[in-house]
Amino acid sequence: MCEANAYLFENGREELLLEQVDKVIPQQGEIILENIFGQRKIVKAKIKEMALVDHKIILEKI
């Protein structure tokens, strides 16, 4: 599978935000995340790093 877990980088740590993410939609200063279970999270953040081989998306608050 090609899903990744999304983490929020804050205070020098990565905290799990959403598992099994299959859509990442940047939109007007926000990132919309959707996973394979239909869960959706909207975060005021920017993409810090995407390590797709490691199935990892790291976001940073703006």
Side-chain angles (χ1 to χ4, degrees), residues 15-61:
E15 293 187 30
L16 181 62
L17 191 59
L18 191 63
E19 293 180 299
Q20 304 291 308
V21 172
D22 70 338
K23 283 188 183 176
V24 178
I25 306 163
Q27 191 172 48
Q28 299 175 352
E30 297 177 328
I31 303 286
I32 301 169
L33 302 168
E34 290 180 7
N35 71 9
I36 60 172
F37 306 110
Q39 294 174 305
R40 178 183 251 219
K41 289 201 174 183
I42 301 173
V43 186
K44 281 196 171 285
K46 64 180 181 180
I47 296 171
K48 181 177 189 287
E49 180 181 342
M50 293 179 74
L52 298 179
V53 171
D54 296 328
H55 304 275
K56 198 171 188 179
I57 301 165
I58 302 171
L59 304 177
E60 187 171 43
K61 280 191 174 179

